[in-house]
Amino acid sequence: MTEFATMDFHPQPQAGEPKPWAFPAPERSSLDNGLTVLRCHRPGQQVVAVEVLLDAPLDAEPAGLDGVATIMARAFSEGTDKHSAEEFAAELERCGATLDALADHPGVRLSLEVPASRLAKALGLLADALRAPAFADGEVERLVRNRLDEIPHELANPARRAAKELSKELFPAGTRMSRPRQGTEETVADIDSAAVRTFYEKHVRPATATAVVVGDLTGVDLDALLGDTLGAWTGSAAEPRPVPPVTADDRGRVVIVDRPGAVQTQLLIGRTGSDRHDRVWPAQVLGTYCLGGTLTSRLDRVLREEKGYTYGVRAFGQVLRSAPDGTGAAMLAISGSVDTPNTGPALQDLWTVLRTLAEGGLTDAERDVAVQNLVGVAPLKYETAAAVASTLADQVEQHLPDDYQATLYRQLAATGTVEATAAVVNAFPVDRLVTVLVGDAAQIKAPVEALGIGEVTVVAAE
C-alpha cells in the first residue's frame, strides 16, 4: 500500500490593519543668504527631487517682451561661469541628473532629480546655474529660434488654440493673463541675451526664492550641503511686489475659431472661480470630479457612453494665481472634442447635464466614488519624491501652509454630497460660461446659435 506524506497546510495569511497615511510634513528653515528651504525625508526614495521657486512672475515681464521669463528659465541649463552649455549638460549626465525649468504666472520653477549618492554634485551645478548663468548670446539666440519654431505648432494644435482664445476672452485686454504664457512671435522675436540678463538681475535672488528637497536623506548633512552650494548664491533683498487681482469677464458667450474642413470640434468651456484659499475649494474639487473627473463622471457617462460623441470630456479646476487676500483665482473648465456634425447636439446635452445637476444634485454614490478616487489613492500618487516635491512647491507658490495638502484630504473625506453639489453648481453656472470652439464654422455656427447659450462670434484660426 502506498503511503502518502502528510502535507502541512498553513492558514492563508490575513491582511493586516491598514496604516494611517497623511501627506508628508516638511521641515522649514532658511540659509544665511535668505533662501527658504523645505526638506522632507522620505526613506527609500533614492532619487532625490529638488524644486527651486523664483519670484519672477509673468506679470513682471517688460512690456513687449512676453516670453522673456520662459527664455530665461530655459537658459539656466545653457552654461555658467564654470561650464559651457555642452559641458554643463555633460556634467548633469555624469551624475545621472535631469534639470528642467518653466515659467508660469506665479513665477519660474527649476526641477532637479538626481540619485541621492550624487546629490552634492548636482546641487553644485544647480547653484552655479542660479548664481552665475552664462546667458551667452549664441545660446539665447538659439532658444529664441526654438521658441519661434514652437509657436506655429501650438497654434495648429486645437486644444492649445482653444486655450489661447479662452484667455483672450476671459481676461481684460492688456493684462498678462490675457496673452500666451510663453509669448507670441512678435514679442519673442525681440528677446536677446541683454533682455534675459536684465530680467534675471531684477528678479532672481535667494532672498525671495524657495528650495524644496525631498528624498532619502539618510547620512546626508543637508545643512552643510546646501550651505556649500545654494548658500553661495548671493543677491540683494527685495521689497514685496504688489500682485494685481485676477479679474475676468464670464458673460455667457461663444467664440468659434474657424478651421474650415475640420472633422472634429475642440471644446473649451470656462470661467474663473475660487482658488485654494477659499473654504469652498474642497467641495469644489469633489463636485468638479463628479462632473467630469473620470470615465465614470456625469459628462462622460452621457457624451461618451450614451451618445458616442467623444472619446472623453473632462472638467477641472486649475489655479492661476493664489493669494490669501482673495485676489487669486482658478480656471474652472470643461474640455474635450466631438465630431463636427454632432457639435450642436453634444453642447445641448452638456448644458442639459449642467442643468440637471443644478436641479437634482449629485448622488451619494457619485460622491463616494469621487472621495475614494481622490483620497483613497493618494498614497500611490505620492510614491515618488518628485510628486511630493512638486506639491510642496505648489503650496509655496500659492502661499499655502505647509500642512495644506494633508488638511485638504481630510476635508475632502468629510465633504458631503449636498456641499459638493452646491459647489459644482456655483462653479459652472449655465449662463456664465465662455465657450470656445475650434472647428468648421460653416458647419457648426448655426446649430450652436440655435442652442441659445450666448452670442456667437467667429474668428480666424491665424
Side-chain angles (χ1 to χ4, degrees), residues 224-244:
L225 184 53
L226 291 173
D228 292 339
T229 54
L230 292 173
W233 174 25
T234 60
S236 61
E239 293 295 322
R241 185 179 20 258
V243 179

Side-chain angles (χ1 to χ4, degrees), residues 6 16 21 31 46 52 79 101 160 183 229 242 259 262 274 352 394 433 435 458:
T6 302
W21 179 90
L31 303 184
Q46 294 300 320
V52 176
R160 299 291 291 271
T229 54
R259 286 274 174 85
S274 302
T352 298
D394 287 343
L433 295 171
T435 300
V458 178

Side-chain angles (χ1 to χ4, degrees), residues 196-230:
V196 172
R197 181 160 293 282
T198 298
F199 188 74
Y200 166 84
E201 291 174 348
K202 189 171 183 180
H203 300 291
V204 178
R205 53 181 58 84
T208 57
T210 299
V212 179
V213 183
V214 179
D216 193 330
L217 304 177
T218 302
V220 177
D221 187 345
L222 192 60
D223 289 325
L225 184 53
L226 291 173
D228 292 339
T229 54
L230 292 173

Side-chain angles (χ1 to χ4, degrees), residues 268-269 288-289 291-293 314-318 331-335 428:
L268 184 59
I269 303 163
T288 301
Y289 192 90
L291 174 63
R314 291 291 172 268
F316 59 91
Q318 178 182 357
M331 176 72 79
L332 305 174
I334 297 169
S335 67
F428 296 95

Side-chain angles (χ1 to χ4, degrees), residues 74-94 99 125 129 132-143 146:
R74 296 181 180 184
F76 277 126
S77 58
E78 301 298 332
T80 68
D81 61 343
K82 297 179 181 178
H83 300 291
S84 67
E86 294 79 6
E87 291 168 346
F88 189 84
E91 290 298 315
L92 279 175
E93 186 174 352
R94 285 191 186 98
L99 178 61
L125 292 170
F135 297 145
D137 291 348
E139 297 299 338
V140 171
E141 290 169 4
R142 179 179 58 81
L143 292 172
N146 289 348

